[in-house]
Amino acid sequence: MKVLKTVDEVKKLSNQWKKEGKTVGLVPTMGYLHEGHMSLIERCRKENDKVIVSIFVNPAQFGENEDLDAYPKDFEKDKALCEKAGADLIFNPDTSEMYSNPRTYVNIDGLSDYLCGKSRPIHFRGVCTVVSKLFIITKPDNAYFGQKDAQQLAIIKKMVKDLNFDVNIVGCPIVREEDGLATSSRNVYLNAKERKAALCLSKAITAGKLLANSETDADKVKNEMIKIIEAEPLAKIDYVEIVDNETMQPVSEIKDNTLAAMAVYIGKARLLDNFIKEGKN
């Protein structure tokens, strides 16, 4: 496994693989890898000849008073996990390598105005810009993203379609810890009491998913989920919303491809979780 830090080196290697007829898969991350990331890398390994994992804490997607400086890092651990999962290359650039006096950004209107985009106004502009750059640098055939960041996944799919990127976007299921909490790099912020309190998210997801099997009124499902979270004193709701999974617009009726999504603060950790009401095949 190689570790490269410059754009030119990665472009050269990716071009070489392409000339050899190899398929290339990309797993973009901000590091501090967990089981959710591992599931993405392992799937990428199964479906591609070459696997690139990018590890870059992207400052462009953090707003003022967010946790950029405190965001957890452990590159040596990340490196060992990538090697174990079968990565061929880690792209680990410095900020100056990715952003040299930037004046160009990629933004998706509409989809980025709600949910996380409403409380984090520049977040998805930063995500789209860095992901676009990673696609251009690594030239992947397939790129892998977790369903936990459902709005991000929808926005990236829209970006790829609108900008004609020649890459297939693969959404992968949420990975949960044994007690049901969705894996996240930010779980490290939780102390023991907060860690227990954070289970209100997965409890609300379980209850909402069960109710959505028989109930089509979105407000009834949403209110049940809110009730469970508000019963936890340490929880502070950023949002709980039920929207169309492609447009991110609120819906009044739950049907196929409806997304129930939430962002909840437990202490200083802002945690995400969601479920999708899927149709029967």
Side-chain angles (χ1 to χ4, degrees):
M1 184 182 72
K2 293 178 178 289
V3 177
L4 298 178
K5 296 189 71 69
T6 72
V7 169
D8 287 345
E9 287 175 314
V10 175
K11 280 186 173 181
K12 183 177 179 180
L13 185 56
S14 179
N15 286 334
Q16 178 186 321
W17 287 339
K18 291 286 189 175
K19 287 178 182 177
E20 294 170 356
K22 307 291 187 183
T23 56
V24 176
L26 171 67
V27 181
T29 84
M30 293 207 299
Y32 212 74
L33 304 183
H34 51 66
E35 288 301 316
H37 295 114
M38 292 294 281
S39 71
L40 302 181
I41 299 168
E42 289 165 359
R43 180 164 176 183
C44 186
R45 173 74 281 161
K46 291 178 182 176
E47 297 178 355
N48 300 273
D49 297 318
K50 297 294 182 180
V51 174
I52 301 174
V53 179
S54 63
I55 297 178
F56 176 62
V57 180
N58 176 33
Q61 66 193 64
F62 289 80
E64 289 186 27
N65 303 316
E66 292 190 338
D67 59 346
L68 173 60
D69 292 336
Y71 197 84
K73 302 177 183 70
D74 189 341
F75 183 74
E76 290 305 313
K77 181 183 175 184
D78 291 346
K79 183 179 174 182
L81 289 173
C82 285
E83 193 150 25
K84 181 180 177 182
D88 297 287
L89 168 65
I90 295 175
F91 178 36
N92 178 225
D94 293 330
T95 299
S96 59
E97 181 70 13
M98 290 296 284
Y99 295 109
S100 176
N101 191 28
R103 290 291 184 270
T104 302
Y105 298 95
V106 180
N107 193 48
I108 309 298
D109 289 340
L111 271 71
S112 59
D113 297 338
Y114 305 98
L115 306 182
C116 288
K118 186 174 182 179
S119 55
R120 304 182 70 192
I122 69 165
H123 174 68
F124 288 117
R125 185 186 77 172
V127 170
C128 289
T129 301
V130 78
V131 171
S132 295
K133 290 168 73 69
L134 289 170
F135 287 169
I136 292 166
I137 294 163
T138 65
K139 300 178 180 64
D141 297 281
N142 303 291
Y144 296 77
F145 297 86
Q147 181 60 48
K148 180 171 69 70
D149 298 292
Q151 186 177 16
Q152 172 180 277
L153 180 58
I155 286 172
I156 288 171
K157 285 181 176 179
K158 178 66 171 169
M159 179 185 78
V160 164
K161 181 179 179 181
D162 287 357
L163 298 184
N164 304 111
F165 279 110
D166 192 15
V167 55
N168 175 47
I169 302 302
V170 182
C172 300
I174 295 172
V175 174
R176 299 184 179 277
E177 299 186 22
E178 284 189 15
D179 57 8
L181 183 67
T183 58
S184 171
S185 300
R186 289 186 167 93
N187 290 351
V188 71
Y189 296 155
L190 303 169
N191 62 34
K193 189 175 182 181
E194 291 167 343
R195 178 66 179 69
K196 186 175 180 181
L199 296 179
C200 68
L201 277 82
S202 55
K203 288 175 182 175
I205 290 294
T206 299
K209 195 171 186 178
L210 183 63
L211 184 57
N213 287 332
S214 58
E215 177 60 67
T216 60
D217 188 318
D219 282 342
K220 288 183 179 179
V221 175
K222 174 180 170 179
N223 291 336
E224 178 63 23
M225 295 169 70
I226 290 173
K227 179 180 174 183
I228 292 170
I229 297 168
E230 288 183 338
E232 172 48 62
L234 296 182
K236 178 186 175 184
I237 294 174
D238 183 355
Y239 66 80
V240 177
E241 296 292 347
I242 297 180
V243 300
D244 181 274
N245 190 38
E246 292 183 1
T247 67
M248 297 294 126
Q249 294 290 322
V251 297
S252 59
E253 180 184 2
I254 292 177
K255 50 188 177 180
D256 295 351
N257 210 35
T258 297
L259 170 71
M262 63 176 67
V264 178
Y265 286 95
I266 306 291
K268 66 178 182 179
R270 183 176 181 274
L271 305 178
L272 304 180
D273 209 338
N274 66 74
F275 74 87
I276 298 172
K277 179 69 166 64
E278 297 175 335
K280 296 179 181 178
N281 293 324

